[in-house]
Amino acid sequence: MRLGFVSAILPDLPLNEVVEFAFEAGYSCVELMCWPKGRAERRYAGVTHLDVTDFGRRQADEVRRMLENSGVSISALGYYPNFLTPDEEEAKRVFAHFKKVIQAAALLEVGRVTTFAGRDWTKSVEQNWPRFLKVWKPLVKFAEDRDVRIAIENCPMLFTNDEWPGGKNLATSPKIWRRMFEDIPSYHLGLNYDPSHMVWQQMDYLKPLWEFKDRIYHAHAKDVRLDRERLDDVGILATPLQYHMPKLPGLGEVDWGRFLSVLGDIGYAGPVCVEVEDRAYEVSLETRKAALKQSARFLMQYMP
Amino acid sequence: MRLGFVSAILPDLPLNEVVEFAFEAGYSCVELMCWPKGRAERRYAGVTHLDVTDFGRRQADEVRRMLENSGVSISALGYYPNFLTPDEEEAKRVFAHFKKVIQAAALLEVGRVTTFAGRDWTKSVEQNWPRFLKVWKPLVKFAEDRDVRIAIENCPMLFTNDEWPGGKNLATSPKIWRRMFEDIPSYHLGLNYDPSHMVWQQMDYLKPLWEFKDRIYHAHAKDVRLDRERLDDVGILATPLQYHMPKLPGLGEVDWGRFLSVLGDIGYAGPVCVEVEDRAYEVSLETRKAALKQSARFLMQYMP
Amino acid sequence: MRLGFVSAILPDLPLNEVVEFAFEAGYSCVELMCWPKGRAERRYAGVTHLDVTDFGRRQADEVRRMLENSGVSISALGYYPNFLTPDEEEAKRVFAHFKKVIQAAALLEVGRVTTFAGRDWTKSVEQNWPRFLKVWKPLVKFAEDRDVRIAIENCPMLFTNDEWPGGKNLATSPKIWRRMFEDIPSYHLGLNYDPSHMVWQQMDYLKPLWEFKDRIYHAHAKDVRLDRERLDDVGILATPLQYHMPKLPGLGEVDWGRFLSVLGDIGYAGPVCVEVEDRAYEVSLETRKAALKQSARFLMQYMP
Amino acid sequence: MRLGFVSAILPDLPLNEVVEFAFEAGYSCVELMCWPKGRAERRYAGVTHLDVTDFGRRQADEVRRMLENSGVSISALGYYPNFLTPDEEEAKRVFAHFKKVIQAAALLEVGRVTTFAGRDWTKSVEQNWPRFLKVWKPLVKFAEDRDVRIAIENCPMLFTNDEWPGGKNLATSPKIWRRMFEDIPSYHLGLNYDPSHMVWQQMDYLKPLWEFKDRIYHAHAKDVRLDRERLDDVGILATPLQYHMPKLPGLGEVDWGRFLSVLGDIGYAGPVCVEVEDRAYEVSLETRKAALKQSARFLMQYMP
Amino acid sequence: MRLGFVSAILPDLPLNEVVEFAFEAGYSCVELMCWPKGRAERRYAGVTHLDVTDFGRRQADEVRRMLENSGVSISALGYYPNFLTPDEEEAKRVFAHFKKVIQAAALLEVGRVTTFAGRDWTKSVEQNWPRFLKVWKPLVKFAEDRDVRIAIENCPMLFTNDEWPGGKNLATSPKIWRRMFEDIPSYHLGLNYDPSHMVWQQMDYLKPLWEFKDRIYHAHAKDVRLDRERLDDVGILATPLQYHMPKLPGLGEVDWGRFLSVLGDIGYAGPVCVEVEDRAYEVSLETRKAALKQSARFLMQYMP
Amino acid sequence: MRLGFVSAILPDLPLNEVVEFAFEAGYSCVELMCWPKGRAERRYAGVTHLDVTDFGRRQADEVRRMLENSGVSISALGYYPNFLTPDEEEAKRVFAHFKKVIQAAALLEVGRVTTFAGRDWTKSVEQNWPRFLKVWKPLVKFAEDRDVRIAIENCPMLFTNDEWPGGKNLATSPKIWRRMFEDIPSYHLGLNYDPSHMVWQQMDYLKPLWEFKDRIYHAHAKDVRLDRERLDDVGILATPLQYHMPKLPGLGEVDWGRFLSVLGDIGYAGPVCVEVEDRAYEVSLETRKAALKQSARFLMQYMP
C-alpha cells in the first residue's frame, strides 16, 4: 500500500508545490483534482491541479518529468461531479469533461480515475437507475477502451438540506454496488472505498472488503466521529451533518489498524489517500498542511 | 400504570368482544380506533371500533354502560391520519373527523386522543412547518376548549417507498418535539411515546423521558428488532423496513424493564398500550389474539 | 410454535404420567425418548418412553388413544446414539434400532425423528466424512420412503475427556451443515437446532436461522452460561465443561426474546422443546419437575 | 431456593395479614422485621412484625401455630441498627435488643438473623476495625451458643449527606468480608447478599458468589438503576443517591437470570427475599402490595 | 493546540535545561512549577522552576530572553496548594504566594495560571462552599485586574487515606463547575481540564467539553488505567488508588484520538500538557525523560 | 523494556546484517534463532542465525565483538522444536541440540533461551504430563547449573490439520503454567509471553501478567485478528487458522497501550520482541523488513 492524499485540500498551491509538500510530509502519492477551471460549486470541489482541457502527449511528458525524481506518483486523477443532475446541460458538460480526465489518465499511464456515480437527489434509487445505466455504460466502455479503471467513491453526498433527501451519489451501499456490477459487468468499473461513509450509515466497514476485494481500486482515508448526544436528539432521519463530523484519520471511529489489517489480507496493494475535510483544520494553508502531516504520522503506524 | 392494547389489531371483533377479550387476556384498558367507516388506506388503519360520526350523549352512555363492570377502560380514542397530506380535500375531511373524535373523547370523559402530526412526505421538516402550525393551532385550541389532551405518536411513518423520503408524521425526534411545544405552547398537546421508533432511528429511548416527562400522555408498547446483517447491506439511507422489523414486546431490542423503570420514576401513571404490528403473528384472528396474550404475560413482569 | 420438553429428564415416569405432567406444567408437546431398553451409556441417554422394538399398528393406536384428549402431542421420537462409533458391532445395532424409531414415527404419523450424526471422536471431520456418507445416505433414503424427516441436533457431544478430541457428533457448525446438505441432497434431512451449543462454540446463534430456515425441523431450548473467569484460566482448547455450564432457559446467555423473534420471522412454526441438563436442578424428581415448570413460565413470555 | 420478601415494606399490616398476603402473592417465606417498638429512625427502619422484647416459648408457639398451615415460613428475623454508632447509649440498647432477636430466632427454630455490621460513619474502615471486633466477637459467640447464624447485609448504608462519608455499615466489599471472616473465624457469621449494592459500587456481583459460597446465608432481591446522565454530572464521589435509584427486581441492571443461575450452581438453596425500596411504588399500601406481586411474577421465571 | 508538559516531573533540572529538553523531545511549551522554595509537602509538589518570590521586570526579561529562540513557550505558571486547608496560617501563606504567581504571569505575559480550588477534606462540598467563595472572589478579582486567567484542575486530590474522605480540591465535577461559575461570574476563572480524573470517577470525559467550551483554558494529558479485578474487590468507596493507576497517555483508558478530536471541534487551540505521574517511569531522571519522549511520540499522532 | 524482534523472519540475512538492520529500524535487541543447520520442518522454523553446534569461547567472543558497538544486544537464543514428539529419535536430537543452545547462552552471557514445552499432539494434556516431567526436569537442572533461564512460549502450536487435535506445545494456559511451576519448582523455568495466543483462545491477556509476574522472562509482540464472520461459520472446534489471522502489532485485537501499561506496572523490564507472522507482509525480503519497521514505529508509541 502507498500513502497519498487528495489534492483538493491544497487549492492554493500549484502542482509542483503540492508534489514537493507531499514528499516532505512523508507521502508517496497524490490523487490529483482535475475539475474544469472555474468557480467551485461546493466545498472541496472545483480544484484544478491538472488542467485536462487541452491535455496531450506534451503536457503528459511535462508532468511526468516533474514527478520523475520527486519520490511521489499520481494515485489517480479525480473529478467528482454529479453525472445524473437534473440540469441536462450541466450533465452534458460533465460527461464531456470526464472523458478528458480519462484520456489524461491514459496519457499519464496512471490507469485510474476517481469520481461519483451521481444521482438526481430528488428521486429514489429505483427511479435513478435507468438513467444511471444509460449514462454509465458508454462511460465505462470509453474507459475500458483506454484501459483506465474508474473508481467510484462510496460517499452518499448527503450532508445538509441542499442534497436532501437522496444525496448526489448512488453508490452508497453493498446492495447497490452489487447491482451496479451486475448491470455493468466490466472490471473497469470499481470502488474508491472510504470507510468513514460506512460508519455514519451504521454499516460494517470491514465485511465489504472481503466481498468486493476485486473491485477496490482506490481508497480514501477519512475518519468520522458520530456524536451520540446529537444523534439522540435528531435521529438518523435528520440531515447527516447534524450528527456526525468528518475528521482526520485517528480522530474518529474507524479502527485504522483493523481496517488496514483486512485491506492487507484481501491483497490490496494500491493507494490509500488521506482526504482532509476536518473543519478544525481548515483555518489556513498552514493548518491544512499540518492536517496532512498529522495524518501521515498517524497512518504510518499501520502501513509499510 | 395500566396495561392496554391498540384495538386496530382486532378489526374483525365488535367493541364488546374487544372489551371481553381484553379482560380475559389480562388487560385493563384499550385504545379504541375511531377511523371513519370505509376502506382502510393502509395496514393497521381504517378500523372503527367506535363510530364517532353521530356520537352524542346517548351513544356515550351506551358505551359507558357496556364498560361499567367489564374491568376495562378506554385509554384513549385513536385516529392516525395524515393531517398535512398534499391532497387538500382529504386534509379537510381528516380535520373534520378528528374534531368528532375529540368531541367523543369529551363526551366519554376519556380526556385523551391519540394521533400523528402528519407530514407532506415530499417536503422537508422546514417546508412543512408553516402548514403544521396553521393546521394544528386551531386543533389544539379545539381540544383545549373541551379539556381533551392530544397525544402525538413519535412514529416517523416511513417504512417503504410509498412514504419516501419524509414519512407521514413530523413528530419524530426530541428536537422536533421541543420546537412543537415552543410554537404551540399548550399543555393539551403532548406525546404518545413509543420507544421502538427511537431504536431504529438510533436514538436513546430513555433520555427523552426525563426531558418530556410533563408531555407524555400515552405510551405504546411495541418492540423492534434491528437486523445488523441487513443494515450492513443497505445502510440507514435505505427505506427503514429493509433493516428493521416491528415485533411484540420482548422480541426486540427495547429493554422493557429499564423503560418501565424510568417511566415509573418520572411519575408516569397512565396507560401503556401494546401495539401489535408483528407479521409473524398476523396469520389469523387466533394468532393476533395469541400475540396480545403473550405481550401481556411478558409486560406484566415489569408492571404493577 | 409449540412448547415441549425432552422426556429424557423424567426417566422415572411412565409415558402416561409424562404426558399428564406435561399438560399440567403448561406444555403442549413432548419429544419422546426411544432408546432400546437396557443400561444407559451416559447421562441423559438410555431412556425408553416408547419401546419401538415391536411397535406395530396396535401399539401406535394405543399411544394415540392415550394422547387423544391429553392436550399434548408428540413433537418427535428421539434416539441419540453414535452412528459412527469405532465399535462396528454397536454401529450395526444402532443402525437397526434407528430404523425402528423411524418406522414408529411413521406409524404414529409424527413425521419427525431427532438424533445425532455421530462421529468417530478420535478422527478429524475430514477423516469421518466418507463413513458418514456411507451410513447416512441409506438412512435418509429409508426415512424418505416413509416420509419421516430426520432432525440432527447441533450438539458437539464434547464435554469431558471421554469424548476428546472430536466429540461424538459431526453436525456442529454451519460450514458442516452446508456440506451435509450438499452431499445428501434430501429435504428429509435437517436440523434439531439448539442455540446453546452455538454460544459456547463462540458462534452467532441467530445468523444461521436465516440461512438454514428450510432445514430447521425441530428446536431445543437449552441455555448455557460461559464463566469468563474459568475460560480465562483454561482457554478454548480445554475440554468444554471446564468453562461452561448447561442451564435452564433464562439462566444463561441466550437472548430468548431475540432467538424466538427470529425463529418466528423465518416462518418456523414447529416444536421448541426444553432440554433440562442443569445440574442445579437434578437432585430429585421433584426438582427436575420444578425445572420444567420454571422453563415453561420463562419461555411462555416469548411464545404464543 | 425459596422466594420471600422483607416485611419492612408492609408496616401497616399485622403479622398474620403479612403472612396471608405473602401466600396470596406467591411467596413462600418472609423476613420478619423485629425492631424495638417505637419511632423509626429512618425510612424502612423501625418496623416491628415480631416483638422480641418478651418473647418466650409461649409466644414462639403462637407464631408457629399461625404459620403452620399458611404455606409461608420465616426466612430470618431482621434487625438492622448501627452497632458502631458514636452514641454509646444507643449502642448498648442496640446490642441488648439484638441478643433478644437471636434468642427469638432460636426459640422459633428459624436459625438465621439478618443485620448490618454497623460503622461510625465519620471514621475510616481502619479506624472502625478495633471496635468492630470488640462488639462483634461476643455477639457471634452469643449466636453460636444458640446455633443461630448471623447474615450481615452488604449494604454500604450511604445514600445522602446524613451518612456521609463512610456510611453506617462496614461490610461492603469482598476485601472487607475476607478480613471479617479471618478476624472472627466462626461459621455463624456470614452474608445476607444483595447484588444491587455491588452494582452501584461498580463491582462484579457474580464473582464473589464463588469465593464466598459457604458464607451466603440469606439473599436480598433488590435491583438498582444507574443513571449514566446523572453519574456523568456528579461522579462517584457524590453521595450515591445522586446517581442511582433502588428499583424492583427487573427494573434495574441486575441480570437476575444470571444471578440466580450462579446462585444455583454454588449450591445455595436458601431464601431470596425481595426488598422493596422503589419510590415509584411507595404511594400507598396498595402500590406497595402491587410491587411485591410484580416482583414475585418477575422472579418466578428464574426460580423453581 | 500546542503540546507541552508539566515541569514538576523534572525537579532535578534547572529551568534552562528543562526548556532545552522540551525542545529536543518535541514539545513546544512547558507548564512551569512555581512552588515557594522549600520542602515538598507531597509527591509532585514543591517544585520551583520559577521562583516568584522577588520576581520583577528584570527577572521577567531574563526568562523571556532565555525562551526567545528556544522554540518553547510557557503554557502557564502552576502552583497547586490547598487554599482551603484547615491550617489558617498555611492558608494565608498560600494565598499570598498565589498572588505572586499571578503577578509573575502578568509580567511574563503568559496570561494563565494553573491551580486547585482547594478543600477542607474533612468536610462536605456544602460545608466548604462559603469559605470557597470568601477565598476565591478576591483571588479572581486580583487576577482579573492583571488580565490573568486562572485554570483550576479537575483533580479530586483524593488518592489514599491522607486525603480521605473529601480530597483536597472541590472542582471535581460538571455540577460543581457550574456552581463555581455561577457564584463567581468572571471569565478569568476557568478549567485546567484533565480527562483522566473523569475516567476513574466513572464520568464521560467528552460531554463536558461541549458545555464548558468557553471555560477550558488549559489541558492536562494524563492517562489512567482502571483495574477491574481490583475494583471488583474493593468498590468505589475504597480510596481511589486501590483500584486505579495514573499512566502515560496511551497506556490507559482515555481514547486520545477522540478526546483531541472533540477538543479541536469546540475550538480549543491552547496548550495540552503531559503530566507524568506513572510510577513505572519514575525510577530515575532518565526514565522520567523517556516518559516525556514516549508521551510526545504518542500524542503527536493526534495533534497538528 | 527493550524493543526487539525474532530473527526468524530474516532467514536470508547473515547475523551481522540482521544486527545492522535492527539498529537502523530502531530496535535495540534481537532474539536469535539457533536451529541446527538443515531443512526447516515448518514455516518460521529451521533458521540458524547462530550455529551452536561447535560454539566455544572463541565463537562467543566473535559474536560479542560484532555486537559491541552495534547498539543491539541479544534478547535470547531461540530454538522451538517439539521435545515430546512421538518420534523418539528426533526427541533425542532435539534434547541434545537444546543443551548446546543453553551452553551458548551461558557463554554469551545472554542468560535466556526461548522455546516450547512440546507435546505429543495426538494425546491429551494428562497423557503427556509424565513424559513432560521426565524430559524437562533434567533440562531445567541443566539450565540452572549454567544460570540460564528458560522462557517457554505460550503458543498452542495448533493451526491446521497437521497439529490437530492437541498442538505441539503444552504450555498454553494459566492453569497449565501453574501446574508446570508446581511440578518443576525452579525459577529457571518461566514464560515467553505472547498476548496474541490468549486472544484467539478467548482468554484475558492482562490478568495472567499479575499472577505470573515473577515468571515472565521474555515477551513476544505479535497481534492477531479474529474474523467473527469466519468464526461464526466454523466455531472454536475448527482448526484455529480457519478463524484467526496472525498480524503485525496494531493490526489486530491486542490493545498494546494497555498490555504494555500492565507489563510496566508488574515491573517487567526485559525484551519485547516483535514476531512477524503476517502473510500480508511475507512477499519478499523488502516487505518483511517493512513489517519490522512498521512494527517498531507502532510500538514505540507505548514504550520508553
Side-chain angles (χ1 to χ4, degrees), chain E residues 225-227 229 245 247 249-253 278 280-281 290 294 297-298 301-302, chain F residues 1 204 206-207 210 255-258 260-265 300-304:
Chain E
R225 203 186 64 237
L226 269 171
D227 287 319
E229 293 270 311
M245 293 230 182
K247 298 299 294 175
L251 298 185
E253 323 223 341
D278 184 333
Y281 287 80
Q294 173 181 330
R297 263 197 313 267
F298 177 79
Q301 305 175 65
Y302 305 110
Chain F
M1 280 179 264
D204 191 315
L206 297 174
K207 257 193 291 185
W210 296 103
D255 179 335
W256 290 95
R258 209 166 168 90
L260 292 163
S261 171
V262 176
L263 211 53
D265 285 341
M300 284 310 288
Q301 305 175 67
Y302 304 111
M303 290 178 70

Side-chain angles (χ1 to χ4, degrees), chain D residues 222-296:
Chain D
K222 187 164 62 178
D223 213 333
V224 70
R225 204 184 65 235
L226 267 173
D227 287 318
R228 288 285 339 156
E229 294 269 311
R230 295 197 290 151
L231 183 54
D232 282 343
D233 208 39
V234 301
I236 57 167
L237 300 178
T239 45
L241 272 194
Q242 289 185 59
Y243 56 79
H244 86 273
M245 292 229 183
K247 298 300 294 174
L248 300 191
L251 300 185
E253 324 224 341
V254 175
D255 179 335
W256 290 94
R258 207 165 168 89
F259 175 65
L260 293 164
S261 168
V262 176
L263 212 52
D265 286 340
I266 63 166
Y268 183 76
V272 176
C273 288
V274 172
E275 186 180 21
V276 176
E277 297 188 357
D278 184 333
R279 307 250 169 144
Y281 287 80
E282 293 183 4
V283 183
S284 66
L285 174 58
E286 194 185 5
T287 57
R288 284 178 280 121
K289 280 179 162 179
L292 285 169
K293 283 179 191 161
Q294 174 181 329
S295 299

Side-chain angles (χ1 to χ4, degrees), chain B residues 1 204 206-207 210 255-268 296-304, chain D residues 224-230 245-247 249-253 278-281 287 290-291 294-295 297-298 301-302:
Chain B
M1 280 180 265
D204 190 315
L206 297 174
K207 257 194 291 183
W210 295 104
D255 179 335
W256 289 95
R258 207 164 169 90
F259 175 64
L260 292 163
S261 171
V262 176
L263 211 53
D265 285 340
I266 63 164
Y268 183 76
R297 263 197 313 266
F298 177 79
L299 288 171
M300 285 310 287
Q301 308 176 64
Y302 305 111
M303 290 177 69
Chain D
V224 70
R225 204 184 65 235
L226 267 173
D227 287 318
R228 288 285 339 156
E229 294 269 311
R230 295 197 290 151
M245 292 229 183
K247 298 300 294 174
L251 300 185
E253 324 224 341
D278 184 333
R279 307 250 169 144
Y281 287 80
T287 57
Q294 174 181 329
S295 299
R297 264 199 310 268
F298 178 79
Q301 304 176 67
Y302 304 111

Side-chain angles (χ1 to χ4, degrees), chain D residues 81-82 84-86 116-125 128 155-172 200 239-240, chain E residues 164-165 237:
Chain D
N82 187 352
L84 307 181
T85 172
F116 292 137
R119 172 169 181 174
D120 179 344
W121 64 96
T122 66
K123 297 192 178 135
S124 72
V125 173
N128 271 278
C155 176
M157 286 308 290
L158 170 55
F159 300 104
T160 53
N161 274 322
D162 314 1
E163 301 107 345
W164 188 85
K168 296 187 174 168
N169 183 21
L170 285 167
T172 58
W200 70 259
T239 45
Chain E
W164 187 84
L237 300 178

Side-chain angles (χ1 to χ4, degrees), chain C residues 17-46:
Chain C
E17 293 186 27
V18 167
V19 167
E20 269 167 47
F21 171 74
F23 182 73
E24 284 163 29
Y27 289 91
S28 57
C29 60
V30 182
E31 178 186 349
L32 285 187
M33 287 305 101
C34 303
W35 291 80
K37 291 234 162 186
R39 216 174 56 75
E41 64 185 21
R42 65 165 195 274
R43 193 180 267 253
Y44 312 120

